[in-house]
C-alpha cells in the first residue's frame, strides 16, 4: 500500500493520468482468469506485456498497462518505483501519438454476460464499511506507518437485522451470527504489508459480538458494539515462489472490539458505524511479508461507513461465492 501510494501521489503521474489517460483499476487476481468479455480483453492486453506467457515463479499478470480501446498494448510495467512508472506512461503516450489515425470506430460491446462465478454486486441500500488496518505503536514507541484498506459488505436485509425489533435503552443482544463470523473470517486479517488469505471457518476460536442499545429517539437508534475475536491457523508450508522460501508460520489474532453505531429509522440506514478492533497478532503467510516480524505485536482495525464515491465501492478482498453465506 505504501509503495503504491508513493507512485500515485507523484504530481507528474497524477497530471499525466488526469490529462492523457482514462485510469481503470481492477483486481487481476480475478480478471486474469475471468471467463467473460472483460477477462478476455484483459488477457489480450496482458499477454502483450511484461509478464506475457510467464508461468514461473507465478502466472500473475499484475502490473500497470497502457493500451488502446482495441486492445493494443502501448506500454506496461510492474513496479512500485515512481520514476519507472512515469517513464512507462510517457513511453506509452509517445507510442499513442505515433499511431496512424484509425478510420473506423473500435468494436466495443455495449454489454456482456459476466462470469457467473464472479457475479456479485454492490449492496445498494445495505451497509458498506471501509476497513483500515495498520500496526499500532509498540512498547518502544515505534510505529510503522504502512497500512491497508478493505471493504466489508452487508445486504439491505442483513444491515436491518442488526437493529432489534423493539429497541429500548439498555437492551443487550448478540449480533447475528453471520455478522460476527463475516467480520472475523473475512476482515480481521493481517494485510498491513501484503496479502493474506481469509480465515477458514475452523480457524475461528471465538467470534462474540454484542450490540447494546444506548439511546432511542424518534429518528435514530444509537448502539454500542462490544466483542472479542480470536482466530488461529496452522501454517500451510507453501513456498513463496519469489524468495523460494517457506515463510508461512502459525498465525493468529486476539482482538477486542468496541464501536458506536447510529441508525436512521426513517432512511432505514446506518448514518455512522465507527468501530475498532485491537490486540496482538502473530505469525506470517506466504505473501504478507511478515517473515521478519512474527510478533506477537499490536495491530488495529478501524471500521467506518464507506462513502458513495466509486473508489469506495470496491468489492471486499475476500469476496467470493461463500462471502454472503
Amino acid at each position: 500500500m505504501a509503495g503504491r501510494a508513493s507512485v500515485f501521489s507523484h504530481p507528474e503521474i497524477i497530471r499525466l493520468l488526469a490529462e492523457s489517460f482514462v485510469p481503470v483499476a481492477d483486481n487481476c487476481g480475478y480478471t486474469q482468469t475471468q471467463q467473460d468479455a472483460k477477462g478476455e480483453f484483459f488477457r489480450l492486453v496482458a499477454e502483450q506485456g511484461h509478464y506475457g506467457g510467464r508461468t514461473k515463479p507465478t502466472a500473475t499478470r499484475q502490473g500497470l498497462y497502457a493500451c488502446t480501446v482495441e486492445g493494443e498494448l502501448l506500454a506496461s510495467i510492474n513496479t512500485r518505483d515512481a520514476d519507472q512508472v512515469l517513464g512507462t506512461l510517457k513511453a506509452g503516450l509517445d507510442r499513442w501519438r505515433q499511431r496512424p489515425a484509425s478510420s473506423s470506430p473500435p468494436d466495443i460491446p455495449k454489454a456482456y454476460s459476466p462470469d457467473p462465478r464472479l457475479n456479485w454486486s454492490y449492496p445498494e441500500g445495505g451497509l458498506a464499511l471501509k476497513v483500515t488496518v495498520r500496526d499500532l505503536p509498540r512498547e518502544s514507541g515505534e510505529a510503522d506507518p504502512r497500512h491497508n484498506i478493505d471493504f466489508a459488505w452487508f445486504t439491505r436485509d442483513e444491515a436491518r437485522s442488526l437493529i432489534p425489533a423493539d429497541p429500548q435503552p439498555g437492551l443487550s443482544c448478540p449480533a447475528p451470527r453471520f455478522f460476527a463470523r463475516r467480520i472475523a473470517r473475512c476482515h480481521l486479517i493481517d494485510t498491513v504489508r501484503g496479502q493474506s488469505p481469509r480465515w477458514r471457518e475452523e480457524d475461528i476460536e471465538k467470534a462474540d459480538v454484542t450490540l447494546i442499545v444506548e439511546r432511542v429517539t424518534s429518528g435514530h437508534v444509537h448502539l454500542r458494539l462490544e466483542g472479542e475475536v480470536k482466530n488461529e491457523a496452522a501454517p500451510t508450508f507453501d513456498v513463496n515462489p519469489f524468495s523460494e522460501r517457506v515463510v508461512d508460520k502459525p498465525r493468529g489474532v486476539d482482538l477486542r472490539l468496541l464501536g458506536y453505531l447510529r441508525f436512521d429509522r426513517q432512511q432505514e440506514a446506518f448514518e455512522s458505524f465507527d468501530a475498532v478492533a485491537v490486540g496482538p497478532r502473530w505469525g506470517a503467510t506466504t505473501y504478507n511479508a511478515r517473515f521478519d516480524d512474527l510478533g506477537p505485536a499490536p495491530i488495529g482495525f478501524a471500521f467506518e461507513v464507506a462513502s458513495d464515491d466509486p473508489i469506495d465501492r470496491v468489492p471486499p478482498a475476500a469476496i467470493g461465492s461463500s462471502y454472503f453465506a
Side-chain angles (χ1 to χ4, degrees):
M1 190 73 182
R4 292 189 179 96
S6 68
V7 169
F8 294 107
S9 62
H10 190 292
E12 184 65 8
I13 290 176
I14 293 173
R15 185 191 66 79
L16 266 183
L17 288 175
E19 295 179 358
S20 303
F21 292 87
V22 179
V24 177
D26 207 349
N27 185 342
C28 76
Y30 300 119
T31 315
Q32 65 190 32
T33 59
Q34 206 163 317
Q35 299 302 308
D36 55 27
K38 178 181 175 181
E40 290 172 5
F41 182 82
F42 177 74
R43 288 189 291 275
L44 169 65
V45 173
E47 290 309 307
Q48 302 170 61
H50 49 277
Y51 289 154
R54 193 183 83 162
T55 59
K56 294 181 179 180
T58 74
T60 184
R61 296 298 183 263
Q62 186 178 41
L64 184 149
Y65 299 85
C67 67
T68 69
V69 292
E70 295 94 343
E72 177 188 348
L73 181 73
L74 301 174
S76 75
I77 196 170
N78 186 22
T79 182
R80 291 182 289 184
D81 184 294
D83 291 335
Q84 292 182 24
V85 169
L86 181 59
T88 299
L89 292 175
K90 289 180 176 179
L93 194 55
D94 287 343
R95 186 172 177 183
W96 164 259
R97 289 167 175 161
Q98 294 167 11
R99 294 174 73 250
S102 176
S103 59
S104 58
D107 182 18
I108 302 174
K110 293 183 178 179
Y112 60 89
S113 298
D115 188 330
R117 300 172 304 162
L118 310 176
N119 191 19
W120 53 71
S121 58
Y122 185 81
E124 301 289 353
L127 175 63
L129 298 176
K130 184 176 183 178
V131 188
T132 304
V133 55
R134 61 164 297 170
D135 288 345
L136 298 180
R138 311 192 184 196
E139 291 183 3
S140 64
E142 177 187 4
D144 190 331
R146 285 177 285 188
H147 65 281
N148 215 331
I149 293 172
D150 191 17
F151 294 91
W153 283 359
F154 300 92
T155 66
R156 180 185 179 93
D157 289 343
E158 287 177 337
R160 280 150 186 73
S161 73
L162 299 178
I163 305 301
D166 183 22
Q168 299 294 328
L171 177 65
S172 175
C173 54
R177 186 178 188 276
F178 75 82
F179 177 83
R181 306 297 280 195
R182 190 176 306 160
I183 290 292
R185 185 167 55 95
C186 299
H187 298 292
L188 296 178
I189 302 170
D190 177 12
T191 58
V192 173
R193 297 185 181 182
Q195 295 176 308
S196 285
R198 64 184 179 183
W199 302 98
R200 298 168 301 176
E201 190 66 28
E202 56 266 34
D203 298 333
I204 303 175
E205 296 186 5
K206 178 184 288 187
D208 297 334
V209 178
T210 301
L211 295 169
I212 303 102
V213 179
E214 292 208 314
R215 187 157 60 94
V216 179
T217 68
S218 60
H220 295 88
V221 178
H222 299 256
L223 304 110
R224 185 172 78 253
L225 179 152
E226 297 178 352
E228 297 180 54
V229 169
K230 185 176 182 181
N231 298 338
E232 286 195 274
T236 63
F237 300 107
D238 289 341
V239 174
N240 183 301
F242 299 98
S243 67
E244 298 184 343
R245 296 167 53 195
V246 176
V247 296
D248 202 68
K249 301 291 183 183
R251 63 176 175 132
V253 293
D254 190 359
L255 307 169
R256 301 295 180 271
L257 285 70
L258 177 64
Y260 295 92
L261 292 53
R262 185 171 70 249
F263 184 79
D264 186 313
R265 305 179 81 173
Q266 276 68 49
Q267 298 296 323
E268 295 190 320
F270 281 94
E271 285 186 349
S272 63
F273 192 113
D274 300 320
V276 295
V278 298
R281 58 89 194 153
W282 59 91
T285 62
T286 305
Y287 294 111
N288 79 343
R290 287 292 193 188
F291 53 87
D292 62 347
D293 185 19
L294 298 178
I299 193 170
F301 301 81
F303 297 80
E304 60 184 318
V305 173
S307 76
D308 201 37
D309 291 340
I311 197 171
D312 279 359
R313 295 170 71 95
V314 175
I319 196 77
S321 59
S322 63
Y323 182 79
F324 289 104

